[in-house]
mmCIF file of all heavy atoms in Angstrom:
data_model
loop_
_atom_site.group_PDB
_atom_site.id
_atom_site.type_symbol
_atom_site.label_atom_id
_atom_site.label_comp_id
_atom_site.label_asym_id
_atom_site.label_seq_id
_atom_site.Cartn_x
_atom_site.Cartn_y
_atom_site.Cartn_z
ATOM 1 N N ASP A 755 -23.269 24.572 95.735
ATOM 2 C CA ASP A 755 -23.402 23.893 97.023
ATOM 3 C C ASP A 755 -22.264 24.393 97.909
ATOM 4 O O ASP A 755 -21.099 24.063 97.675
ATOM 5 C CB ASP A 755 -23.322 22.376 96.836
ATOM 6 C CG ASP A 755 -24.549 21.831 96.119
ATOM 7 O OD1 ASP A 755 -25.533 22.581 95.962
ATOM 8 O OD2 ASP A 755 -24.514 20.660 95.691
ATOM 9 N N CYS A 756 -22.625 25.201 98.899
ATOM 10 C CA CYS A 756 -21.598 25.867 99.704
ATOM 11 C C CYS A 756 -21.228 24.986 100.889
ATOM 12 O O CYS A 756 -21.769 25.130 101.984
ATOM 13 C CB CYS A 756 -22.098 27.218 100.166
ATOM 14 S SG CYS A 756 -22.494 28.314 98.791
ATOM 15 N N ASP A 757 -20.311 24.053 100.631
ATOM 16 C CA ASP A 757 -19.808 23.217 101.710
ATOM 17 C C ASP A 757 -18.866 24.030 102.585
ATOM 18 O O ASP A 757 -18.690 23.739 103.759
ATOM 19 C CB ASP A 757 -19.069 22.002 101.141
ATOM 20 C CG ASP A 757 -19.963 21.169 100.224
ATOM 21 O OD1 ASP A 757 -21.192 21.354 100.258
ATOM 22 O OD2 ASP A 757 -19.421 20.351 99.467
ATOM 23 N N ALA A 780 -26.902 26.485 98.154
ATOM 24 C CA ALA A 780 -27.308 25.588 99.230
ATOM 25 C C ALA A 780 -26.201 25.636 100.272
ATOM 26 O O ALA A 780 -25.026 25.466 99.940
ATOM 27 C CB ALA A 780 -27.492 24.164 98.698
ATOM 28 N N LYS A 782 -24.246 24.595 103.722
ATOM 29 C CA LYS A 782 -23.906 23.809 104.915
ATOM 30 C C LYS A 782 -23.625 24.811 106.006
ATOM 31 O O LYS A 782 -22.786 25.700 105.843
ATOM 32 C CB LYS A 782 -22.662 22.958 104.646
ATOM 33 C CG LYS A 782 -22.307 22.046 105.805
ATOM 34 C CD LYS A 782 -20.865 21.566 105.746
ATOM 35 C CE LYS A 782 -19.953 22.564 106.465
ATOM 36 N NZ LYS A 782 -18.594 22.061 106.686
ATOM 37 N N HIS A 808 -28.231 22.921 103.069
ATOM 38 C CA HIS A 808 -27.353 21.824 102.624
ATOM 39 C C HIS A 808 -26.862 21.088 103.879
ATOM 40 O O HIS A 808 -25.731 20.649 103.927
ATOM 41 C CB HIS A 808 -26.203 22.413 101.801
ATOM 42 C CG HIS A 808 -25.433 21.411 100.985
ATOM 43 N ND1 HIS A 808 -26.005 20.330 100.377
ATOM 44 C CD2 HIS A 808 -24.107 21.349 100.659
ATOM 45 C CE1 HIS A 808 -25.074 19.649 99.727
ATOM 46 N NE2 HIS A 808 -23.908 20.241 99.890
ATOM 47 N N HIS A 812 -22.974 18.348 106.726
ATOM 48 C CA HIS A 812 -22.661 17.612 105.495
ATOM 49 C C HIS A 812 -22.344 16.148 105.796
ATOM 50 O O HIS A 812 -21.482 15.521 105.186
ATOM 51 C CB HIS A 812 -21.490 18.252 104.744
ATOM 52 C CG HIS A 812 -21.567 18.100 103.252
ATOM 53 N ND1 HIS A 812 -21.253 16.929 102.604
ATOM 54 C CD2 HIS A 812 -21.926 18.972 102.280
ATOM 55 C CE1 HIS A 812 -21.404 17.107 101.298
ATOM 56 N NE2 HIS A 812 -21.829 18.334 101.071
ATOM 57 N N VAL A 847 -30.603 20.813 99.387
ATOM 58 C CA VAL A 847 -29.818 19.971 98.488
ATOM 59 C C VAL A 847 -29.180 18.908 99.367
ATOM 60 O O VAL A 847 -28.562 19.227 100.391
ATOM 61 C CB VAL A 847 -28.732 20.774 97.749
ATOM 62 C CG1 VAL A 847 -27.830 19.852 96.938
ATOM 63 C CG2 VAL A 847 -29.353 21.846 96.860
ATOM 64 N N SER A 848 -29.339 17.642 99.007
ATOM 65 C CA SER A 848 -28.820 16.565 99.847
ATOM 66 C C SER A 848 -27.296 16.516 99.800
ATOM 67 O O SER A 848 -26.717 16.486 98.719
ATOM 68 C CB SER A 848 -29.362 15.218 99.373
ATOM 69 O OG SER A 848 -30.749 15.164 99.571
ATOM 70 N N PRO A 849 -26.643 16.490 100.969
ATOM 71 C CA PRO A 849 -25.189 16.341 100.989
ATOM 72 C C PRO A 849 -24.768 15.071 100.245
ATOM 73 O O PRO A 849 -25.393 14.016 100.428
ATOM 74 C CB PRO A 849 -24.854 16.227 102.478
ATOM 75 C CG PRO A 849 -26.005 16.881 103.179
ATOM 76 C CD PRO A 849 -27.205 16.628 102.329
ATOM 77 N N PHE A 850 -23.772 15.167 99.412
ATOM 78 C CA PHE A 850 -23.295 14.053 98.565
ATOM 79 C C PHE A 850 -24.417 13.503 97.667
ATOM 80 O O PHE A 850 -24.288 12.407 97.126
ATOM 81 C CB PHE A 850 -22.726 12.895 99.405
ATOM 82 C CG PHE A 850 -21.649 13.278 100.368
ATOM 83 C CD1 PHE A 850 -21.870 13.244 101.749
ATOM 84 C CD2 PHE A 850 -20.403 13.679 99.920
ATOM 85 C CE1 PHE A 850 -20.868 13.598 102.647
ATOM 86 C CE2 PHE A 850 -19.400 14.024 100.805
ATOM 87 C CZ PHE A 850 -19.628 13.991 102.171
ATOM 88 N N HIS A 851 -25.536 14.227 97.548
ATOM 89 C CA HIS A 851 -26.697 13.720 96.780
ATOM 90 C C HIS A 851 -27.165 12.374 97.315
ATOM 91 O O HIS A 851 -27.671 11.551 96.567
ATOM 92 C CB HIS A 851 -26.379 13.614 95.288
ATOM 93 C CG HIS A 851 -26.529 14.911 94.564
ATOM 94 N ND1 HIS A 851 -26.968 14.987 93.267
ATOM 95 C CD2 HIS A 851 -26.308 16.182 94.957
ATOM 96 C CE1 HIS A 851 -27.006 16.254 92.885
ATOM 97 N NE2 HIS A 851 -26.600 16.997 93.894
ATOM 98 N N HIS A 938 -19.264 24.486 93.076
ATOM 99 C CA HIS A 938 -19.025 24.733 94.504
ATOM 100 C C HIS A 938 -18.184 26.002 94.646
ATOM 101 O O HIS A 938 -17.364 26.277 93.778
ATOM 102 C CB HIS A 938 -18.245 23.571 95.136
ATOM 103 C CG HIS A 938 -19.026 22.308 95.273
ATOM 104 N ND1 HIS A 938 -19.307 21.489 94.209
ATOM 105 C CD2 HIS A 938 -19.583 21.719 96.353
ATOM 106 C CE1 HIS A 938 -20.011 20.442 94.638
ATOM 107 N NE2 HIS A 938 -20.198 20.558 95.929
ATOM 108 N N TYR A 946 -11.783 22.406 93.695
ATOM 109 C CA TYR A 946 -12.565 21.583 92.760
ATOM 110 C C TYR A 946 -11.957 21.563 91.354
ATOM 111 O O TYR A 946 -12.647 21.484 90.348
ATOM 112 C CB TYR A 946 -14.033 22.063 92.716
ATOM 113 C CG TYR A 946 -14.688 21.999 94.072
ATOM 114 C CD1 TYR A 946 -14.659 23.109 94.919
ATOM 115 C CD2 TYR A 946 -15.282 20.836 94.530
ATOM 116 C CE1 TYR A 946 -15.223 23.048 96.187
ATOM 117 C CE2 TYR A 946 -15.851 20.768 95.797
ATOM 118 C CZ TYR A 946 -15.818 21.871 96.616
ATOM 119 O OH TYR A 946 -16.369 21.816 97.868
HETATM 120 ZN ZN1 ZN B 2596 -22.043 19.433 99.291
#
Side-chain angles (χ1 to χ4, degrees):
D755 290 349
C756 300
D757 302 345
K782 184 199 88 169
H808 195 36
H812 212 283
V847 174
S848 294
F850 306 111
H851 277 214
H938 290 75
Y946 301 92

